Amino acid sequence: MYGLYDKEGILRFVDSDKDACIAYAELFELGSTNYCLMDLASDTKNNSC
């Protein structure tokens, strides 16, 4: 399960598909510097912020 957080730390989208989260960010024109994609099911060391 992945969570997409905006740069203010607000959860914007949750999905089991990483690509769906990225598509959401693109749809709402969130640049890669304006969001953090976190794998909610694994250890926090593997997050890509």
Side-chain angles (χ1 to χ4, degrees):
M1 188 66 65
Y2 293 92
L4 183 91
Y5 293 83
D6 66 16
K7 67 180 180 178
E8 296 171 0
I10 298 172
L11 180 62
R12 299 281 302 261
F13 187 75
V14 175
D15 198 287
S16 60
D17 182 12
K18 182 178 179 179
D19 292 331
C21 290
I22 294 171
Y24 176 92
E26 291 174 356
L27 177 67
F28 289 97
E29 299 178 355
L30 297 173
S32 62
T33 60
N34 293 323
Y35 71 84
C36 178
L37 183 61
M38 298 179 72
D39 185 349
L40 302 176
S42 72
D43 190 6
T44 57
K45 292 184 222 173
N46 295 329
N47 295 328
S48 58
C49 295

